[in-house]
């Protein structure tokens, strides 16, 4: 069967949601791509991504791009910076904007989308599927609908087959994604949304806190 879509799969809530939605829309025609850009969480992200790809019988590939990001000063990629934990307040937009600066990785989503588009063009796929969302678009402009639209305009010119971005969560909040996955019977404990790698999520970083709030919303 041909490949219609490549999902950028980190193993976190947003990307797992998009993997399930892509498999619903293009059954048997989805592939997953995970990218190591030097992030602290890579070992645990790759493990989660492989697990969900296996669960859905989706071909999986991982790429090593960490050298591109050597010298990046994000706390996610640099051992010189600490990942925000104690100063996190996900209920405060001002605080979230401040911590977002500390975890910003230089043009990460621009690079990852273009790499995915390259792979998509090679295999004749029409779509690449990232895990963006409305909740984090408030602090990360490269999660926004505007970013997707402008990237799509560029991809029409940079790929021979006009690869486009399709994000099923671009207008959703994390609680809505969590509710969908819970109703699908997904093993939520296998999702890795932590900024760190390890046996268990840290439960302190902003990503962990947003995931925990999303899970709690499904129990109300």
């Amino acid at each position: 069967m041909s490949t219609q879509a490549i999902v950028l799969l980190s193993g976190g809530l947003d990307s797992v949601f998009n993997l399930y939605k892509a498999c619903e829309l293009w059954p048997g025609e989805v592939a997953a791509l995970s990218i190591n850009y030097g992030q602290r969480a890579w070992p645990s992200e790759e493990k989660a991504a492989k697990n969900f790809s296996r669960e859905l019988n989706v071909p999986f590939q991982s790429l090593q791009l960490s050298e591109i990001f050597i010298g990046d000063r994000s706390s996610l990629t640099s051992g010189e910076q600490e990942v925000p934990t104690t100063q996190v307040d996900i209920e405060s937009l001002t605080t979230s904007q401040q911590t977002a600066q500390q975890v910003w990785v230089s043009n990460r989503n621009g690079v990852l989308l273009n790499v995915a588009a390259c792979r998509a063009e090679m295999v004749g796929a029409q779509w690449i599927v990232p895990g963006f969302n409305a909740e984090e678009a408030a602090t990360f402009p490269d999660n926004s609908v505007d970013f997707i639209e402008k990237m799509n305009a560029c991809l029409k010119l940079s790929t021979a087959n006009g690869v486009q971005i399709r994000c099923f969560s671009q207008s959703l909040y994390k609680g809505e994604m969590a509710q969908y996955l819970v109703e699908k019977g997904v093993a939520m404990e296998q999702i890795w949304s932590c900024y760190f790698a390890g046996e268990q999520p840290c439960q302190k970083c902003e990503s962990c806190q947003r995931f925990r709030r999303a899970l709690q919303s499904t129990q109300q």
Side-chain angles (χ1 to χ4, degrees):
M1 232 180 219
S2 62
T3 300
Q4 286 295 317
I6 294 179
V7 177
L8 275 167
L9 186 63
S10 70
L13 174 63
D14 309 341
S15 68
V16 170
F17 170 85
N18 277 276
L19 179 67
Y20 272 81
K21 295 295 286 187
C23 287
E24 283 185 358
L25 183 60
W26 303 291
E29 298 180 298
V30 175
L33 176 65
S34 290
I35 297 178
N36 177 7
Y37 55 89
Q39 68 271 42
R40 296 172 185 259
W42 170 247
S44 296
E45 286 185 0
E46 185 182 36
K47 179 181 177 181
K50 283 182 177 179
N51 285 341
F52 283 107
S53 297
R54 190 181 306 113
E55 180 74 20
L56 292 175
N57 196 29
V58 168
F60 175 84
Q61 179 185 19
S62 62
L63 290 179
Q64 306 298 316
L65 295 181
S66 57
E67 288 189 6
I68 294 178
F69 295 91
I70 290 176
D72 179 66
R73 294 186 57 78
S74 169
S75 62
L76 300 188
T77 59
S78 173
E80 299 177 3
Q81 307 291 332
E82 291 188 5
V83 176
T85 51
T86 57
Q87 67 272 50
V88 172
D89 181 0
I90 60 175
E91 304 299 339
S92 167
L93 179 59
T94 300
T95 301
S96 294
Q97 289 172 334
Q98 292 171 350
T99 55
Q101 296 176 13
Q102 296 173 259
V103 298
W104 178 269
V105 179
S106 302
N107 195 30
R108 177 186 61 181
N109 285 347
V111 171
L112 301 192
L113 286 171
N114 273 288
V115 169
C118 177
R119 299 300 301 170
E121 182 178 352
M122 287 179 182
V123 301
Q126 180 64 52
W127 303 99
I128 52 176
V129 184
F132 301 154
N133 63 88
E135 183 172 324
E136 290 174 317
T139 50
F140 295 101
D142 62 350
N143 265 242
S144 67
V145 172
D146 187 44
F147 175 71
I148 293 174
E149 290 175 349
K150 287 181 168 58
M151 281 294 300
N152 275 337
C154 291
L155 290 173
K156 284 183 179 179
L157 301 176
S158 66
T159 58
N161 60 334
V163 173
Q164 293 287 275
I165 300 164
R166 175 76 180 269
C167 181
F168 298 95
S169 57
Q170 65 183 37
S171 300
L172 301 180
Y173 283 77
K174 289 180 180 286
E176 296 172 281
M177 290 183 269
Q179 184 64 47
Y180 166 85
L181 292 175
V182 168
E183 290 175 357
K184 294 283 288 185
V186 174
M188 302 298 284
E189 69 277 5
Q190 293 184 13
I191 289 175
W192 192 267
S193 286
C194 184
Y195 283 150
F196 298 92
E199 292 299 318
Q200 298 293 329
C202 76
Q203 303 295 346
K204 296 179 180 180
C205 71
E206 184 167 344
S207 189
C208 273
Q209 291 190 32
R210 290 187 183 277
F211 181 56
R212 183 169 64 246
R213 182 175 66 182
L215 283 181
Q216 289 171 347
S217 72
T218 68
Q219 300 166 1
Q220 295 174 357

